[in-house]
Amino acid sequence: MNSIKPIYLSAFALLVLAGCGASKQVSNSGVTLTAISAPLNITKKAPITENDLKRWSHLDLVKDTIPGMSVDRAYSELLKNKKGVKVIVGIVDSGVDIEHQDLKSVVWTNTKEIAGNGIDDDKNGYVDDIHGWNFLGDITKENYEYERIIKNKNIVDEVTYQAAKAANDTKITDAAKGKTRLEQMLVTLNEGDARLIKHFGKPVYTIEEVKAIVSQEPEVQKSKAAMEQMLSYGMPLADLKVAVQKQLDGFNSLLQGDNLSTDYRKVVGDNPEDITDTKYGNNNVMGPDKNAILHGTHVAGIVAQVRNNQLGGDGIANNVEILTVRAVPDGDEYDKDIALGIRYAVDNGAKVINGSFGKSFSPHKQWVYDAIKYAEKKDVLIVHAAGNDAKNLDTENNFPNDSDDKVTEFADNVITIGALNFEYGNKVVARFSNFGKNNVDVFAPGVKIYATTPNDTYKYLQGTSMASPNVAGVAAIIRSYYPKLSAQQVKHILMDSGVAITTEVIVGGKPAETRSFTTLSKSGKIVNAYNALLMAEKMSEK
């Protein structure tokens, strides 16, 4: 991703948002508005409250001392008396609970299709695609790409095959070590829990109660120390046991070679190596199991859960419809599904597409590249998560991307998002977030994001998967209120109008490893809705 010179440089120059402590003033209907910039020294004045945590990405760095995107301020100060147009946002993900109380009113409906008649009324190749399309059919789990490559080395070159084989060998080594560790953890969990249940005389206890234990019995002291650690993970012990057992089962399956013998795709019935074989999947965008669409439902909620309705959290965008493309399973997504999913969203009117997925191998990456170029021709912005491996994307792979050589972009409609923590200062970068001076474009909130989950529930989740829809939401706002701006313009607005941070920050969660924030992305900035709208307003006047 080379630093492409913005097409509208002269317009951008009118609103330069400089580094820390500096700002430019913009006149809007006679009122002087000042762009937000990062103060040189700022610390949270008090611990973040639960209410603020639930919507911290909407808050303001200066006013709230939280590195949010100033969404609330944008609505109250810039959009109060404006009316936007409806924007369709494509959610290419695991599926969305379109029946959720906080999403059902914003679900896209294909008005060209007659529901339930078994006919492809709009002749787009997808029968009864009322709310989107499910390219995974009735599967929820899939192989990882390195596993598919090992099973069929003919789909890649020899170098890639050897890299996939090495990845599998590393997974097996790690699984062997992890199995021993998790088996011991389960023993400690079960023995310690049983001992403290007896000590307290009740089946459920809190970490505060454990810390308050005073006992001279060696076994109780041992259990106290162990269960303090277990409860520090922030999960109920019953849930922790299930999670550990699930991961242990996964390690055992890997060590037994199940990952190379199972063909999950067979159920779908298509040929995944043939991009012209498009007659597969179904119209059930929730898939066969609502538990498997937690990720997609959460992503959709970050963008579009109804604002100010006293339910759960608030979405970033207030004038959108969610078009669901189910293409991301538990495992690696197929290039074919992603390529067709992007084209489907584009053809059905999406102006912004969110892609909270990624992988290290991409055998048919050209199919996806072609879909990205197709979206660019149709003026569609693609917002993509940078990934959660704390690695440098200037040297490591994370597909899909918009540069085959990590230097030169082949399209200018993809924006790649790193993740921020809610704690401003040297810990502002999420410990898991990928980064890259050339291959990550900008950062946005991605730690402890509160949004919709299946069956009318809400949860905190974290990842660049959450940072990406935060930006997709801001992009949708811009495209709603300034619809004449192109996808490329919106991309550069999001990058150029962000709040610049020039301080040293911890990378990868390692206190000993600090770098200037300016080196972690192309822009060196964090997305700010208020500033973006100021810039959009100025550009729209040209």
Side-chain angles (χ1 to χ4, degrees):
M1 298 183 193
N2 68 328
S3 183
I4 294 180
K5 186 176 180 180
I7 300 170
Y8 308 96
L9 187 59
S10 60
F12 285 153
L14 293 173
L15 183 60
V16 177
L17 302 178
C20 296
S23 63
K24 293 289 183 178
Q25 294 185 334
V26 179
S27 179
N28 185 8
S29 301
V31 179
T32 299
L33 301 172
T34 303
I36 297 165
S37 60
L40 287 172
N41 296 296
I42 182 172
T43 56
K44 190 77 181 76
K45 297 169 184 172
I48 189 169
T49 66
E50 185 70 15
N51 285 338
D52 281 350
L53 188 61
K54 284 183 176 179
R55 55 194 325 281
W56 75 268
S57 58
H58 300 246
L59 302 182
D60 184 82
L61 179 59
V62 177
K63 178 177 177 290
D64 304 300
T65 63
I66 295 171
M69 302 188 299
S70 305
V71 176
D72 290 344
R73 184 172 171 184
Y75 277 111
S76 64
E77 296 182 21
L78 303 180
L79 301 178
K80 191 172 183 179
N81 298 314
K82 291 190 175 184
K83 186 176 182 180
V85 300
K86 190 77 72 176
V87 173
I88 298 173
V89 179
I91 304 294
V92 180
D93 214 292
S94 63
V96 175
D97 183 358
I98 59 174
E99 298 171 347
H100 196 288
Q101 61 182 353
D102 222 358
L103 292 176
K104 59 186 178 182
S105 66
V106 296
V107 172
W108 171 80
T109 298
N110 184 357
T111 57
K112 299 176 183 177
E113 197 77 15
I114 299 173
N117 68 351
I119 299 172
D120 181 15
D121 300 290
D122 59 4
K123 295 180 173 54
N124 68 350
Y126 303 98
V127 177
D128 288 342
D129 56 323
I130 303 301
H131 300 299
W133 194 253
N134 170 15
F135 286 95
L136 300 179
D138 291 331
I139 62 171
T140 57
K141 187 171 178 59
E142 258 295 359
N143 290 108
Y144 288 99
E145 205 69 84
Y146 72 87
E147 296 167 339
R148 298 178 198 142
I149 291 170
I150 292 172
K151 291 195 292 183
N152 182 9
K153 65 180 298 183
N154 294 325
I155 63 176
V156 296
D157 56 34
E158 182 64 21
V159 173
T160 304
Y161 170 73
Q162 291 299 332
K165 191 172 180 300
N168 188 58
D169 292 342
T170 299
K171 290 283 187 180
I172 291 173
T173 300
D174 291 345
K177 295 177 182 177
K179 176 183 178 182
T180 301
R181 184 180 70 253
L182 291 181
E183 286 174 340
Q184 183 56 51
M185 187 176 180
L186 272 180
V187 170
T188 302
L189 257 173
N190 290 325
E191 290 182 351
D193 189 31
R195 199 167 285 122
L196 292 193
I197 287 174
K198 182 178 180 181
H199 174 83
F200 287 117
K202 58 182 181 179
V204 180
Y205 46 87
T206 67
I207 190 170
E208 289 75 21
E209 290 174 314
V210 174
K211 287 180 178 179
I213 290 176
V214 177
S215 175
Q216 300 304 314
E217 296 182 38
E219 291 301 317
V220 173
Q221 291 177 343
K222 179 181 176 182
S223 296
K224 174 186 176 181
M227 300 316 288
E228 269 192 58
Q229 181 181 356
M230 298 300 175
L231 287 166
S232 70
Y233 293 119
M235 297 174 64
L237 289 179
D239 292 348
L240 181 59
K241 290 178 184 180
V242 171
V244 172
Q245 185 63 57
K246 182 178 179 181
Q247 190 170 5
L248 179 58
D249 291 343
F251 284 155
N252 285 327
S253 178
L254 185 63
L255 291 169
Q256 293 164 10
D258 294 344
N259 62 322
L260 299 180
S261 61
T262 306
D263 182 7
Y264 299 100
R265 188 72 177 198
K266 188 176 181 180
V267 175
V268 179
D270 73 314
N271 178 2
E273 314 306 332
D274 182 2
I275 190 67
T276 66
D277 178 12
T278 62
K279 306 296 183 183
Y280 68 100
N282 59 48
N283 68 343
N284 179 14
V285 296
M286 293 190 289
D289 180 4
K290 272 195 175 183
N291 293 321
I293 60 173
L294 179 144
H295 190 274
T297 303
H298 198 267
V299 166
I302 293 170
V303 175
Q305 56 195 352
V306 179
R307 290 182 62 81
N308 304 317
N309 66 348
Q310 310 306 312
L311 292 175
D314 286 338
I316 299 297
N318 67 345
N319 202 10
V320 296
E321 292 181 342
I322 293 301
L323 184 158
T324 300
V325 176
R326 185 168 182 264
V328 183
D330 177 10
D332 278 344
E333 60 281 356
Y334 273 85
D335 293 327
K336 176 182 173 180
D337 296 341
I338 297 303
L340 293 178
I342 289 173
R343 289 175 180 272
Y344 177 89
V346 170
D347 289 341
N348 284 282
K351 300 308 290 182
V352 177
I353 296 175
N354 186 80
S356 289
F357 50 81
K359 57 187 181 180
S360 298
F361 296 92
S362 185
H364 299 297
K365 59 186 177 182
Q366 192 59 51
W367 294 347
V368 183
Y369 291 168
D370 290 343
I372 290 171
K373 293 173 186 176
Y374 179 74
E376 183 180 40
K377 289 180 181 177
K378 298 291 186 177
D379 190 35
V380 179
L381 179 69
I382 298 174
V383 186
H384 185 237
N388 305 326
D389 301 306
K391 65 185 183 183
N392 187 345
L393 297 190
D394 291 346
T395 58
E396 304 283 347
N397 288 329
N398 183 55
F399 297 101
N401 52 31
D402 57 1
S403 174
D404 198 30
D405 61 1
K406 300 183 178 65
V407 177
T408 305
E409 291 181 338
F410 58 76
D412 196 25
N413 66 320
V414 178
I415 183 168
T416 303
I417 315 299
L420 295 174
N421 181 25
F422 56 82
E423 186 177 354
Y424 188 70
N426 66 353
K427 296 179 182 178
V428 73
V429 174
R431 60 185 298 124
F432 51 77
S433 181
N434 288 347
F435 55 92
K437 180 61 176 174
N438 291 325
N439 291 282
V440 172
D441 292 311
V442 69
F443 277 73
V447 172
K448 278 203 165 185
I449 306 299
Y450 193 70
T452 48
T453 46
N455 300 309
D456 291 340
T457 60
Y458 303 82
K459 288 184 180 179
Y460 289 106
L461 294 178
Q462 63 184 24
T464 56
S465 283
M466 285 63 247
S468 182
N470 266 314
V471 178
V474 177
I477 295 174
I478 298 171
R479 304 217 78 175
S480 173
Y481 289 91
Y482 301 95
K484 292 183 179 180
L485 296 178
S486 70
Q488 288 90 341
Q489 286 176 301
V490 174
K491 170 184 174 176
H492 289 288
I493 285 172
L494 291 166
M495 293 171 63
D496 291 4
S497 69
V499 175
I501 297 177
T502 58
T503 55
E504 295 284 313
V505 296
I506 295 171
V507 178
K510 302 173 184 176
E513 184 175 349
T514 62
R515 305 185 189 189
S516 170
F517 188 84
T518 61
T519 68
L520 302 183
S521 70
K522 189 178 297 184
S523 68
K525 297 177 181 179
I526 65 178
V527 168
N528 188 277
Y530 185 91
N531 289 353
L533 288 168
L534 287 181
M535 185 173 282
E537 173 74 23
K538 198 68 182 178
M539 290 181 64
S540 68
E541 295 173 357
K542 298 299 174 180

